[in-house]
Amino acid sequence: GAGVSQSPRYKVAKRGQDVALRCDPISGHVSLFWYQQALGQGPEFLTYFQNEAQLDKSGLPSDRFFAERPEGSVSTLKIQRTQQEDSAVYLCASSTQAPGTEAFFGQGTRLTVV
Amino acid sequence: QKEVEQDPGPLSVPEGAIVSLNCTYSNSAFQYFMWYRQYSRKGPELLMYTYSSGNKEDGRFTAQVDKSSKYISLFIRDSQPSDSATYLCAMKRTGGFKTIFGAGTRLFVKA
């Protein structure tokens, strides 16, 4: 596709469930970012990949959050044992430059933990 | 105190007005300054990207950075109803991976 694609668009999880959120960046983009956006707030940085290397994971809120990009293209953000405070929109962005700017964002995955 | 402060609004203006959106910041290491537009239930869209101080113009949009005052602005000329969205300022330091976003200002342009 022409843009950054995220799936699913919406996810409802019961508290304690594990979830996996997928990001397909624009083909050939070196940099990939994950952000968390709470309602009425700006996005907050979670983690950054340059190709397959995770160079910054300082924004991951706890060890329940894990991200990977094994082949330097598709990335998955996994949240284990979800809690209500994990409810948010999770955004993925990609860029041709390294580290570059978050030039292209996906539409996000809206996670609701009940 | 947050690193980036942005008035959440909402800001309501008539069609054709000049809109001024602003952010202040505290970290003098920031060198890259961005403005994003975000429509409801969509991802942010990069509008303007500026390095260090100065002005940058693109069509109806002008971005200004005043590093001495730690203050950035986005001006929208001849505003249109289609400009109604949330505008996010964002900034990053040289060599850094993390972008810090403001909370966003909701703008409504009335026809």
Side-chain angles (χ1 to χ4, degrees), chain A residues 9-10 33 35 37 40-43 45 48 50 55-56 58 91 99-103 105-107 110, chain B residues 2 8 32 34 36 38 41-46 49 88 92 95-104:
Chain A
R9 285 293 315 279
Y10 303 93
F33 307 81
Y35 281 80
Q37 187 173 24
Q41 300 297 316
F45 174 83
Y48 167 71
Q50 186 172 307
L55 298 186
D56 188 340
S58 63
L91 294 163
T101 299
E102 292 80 333
F105 275 89
Q107 295 199 73
R110 182 177 298 272
Chain B
K2 292 183 178 180
Y32 296 94
M34 290 78 74
Y36 289 84
Q38 187 172 28
R41 298 187 179 273
K42 301 288 188 183
E45 171 193 1
L46 181 62
Y49 172 63
L88 298 156
K92 179 182 285 195
F97 303 121
K98 176 192 307 189
T99 292
I100 307 297
F101 284 82

Side-chain angles (χ1 to χ4, degrees), chain B residues 18-80:
Chain B
I18 296 174
V19 175
S20 173
L21 303 166
N22 312 291
C23 288
T24 58
Y25 63 95
S26 57
N27 189 342
S28 57
F30 288 141
Q31 291 280 8
Y32 296 94
F33 302 91
M34 290 78 74
W35 285 95
Y36 289 84
R37 178 174 62 194
Q38 187 172 28
Y39 291 113
S40 181
R41 298 187 179 273
K42 301 288 188 183
E45 171 193 1
L46 181 62
L47 285 176
M48 302 286 284
Y49 172 63
T50 309
Y51 174 74
S52 194
S53 282
N55 294 359
K56 187 172 185 180
E57 188 173 322
D58 184 2
R60 295 185 297 112
F61 299 91
T62 299
Q64 289 185 351
V65 175
D66 181 350
K67 292 192 69 183
S68 63
S69 301
K70 297 190 178 66
Y71 188 87
I72 70 171
S73 301
L74 178 71
F75 297 95
I76 307 174
R77 290 182 298 281
D78 188 26
S79 55
Q80 303 296 310

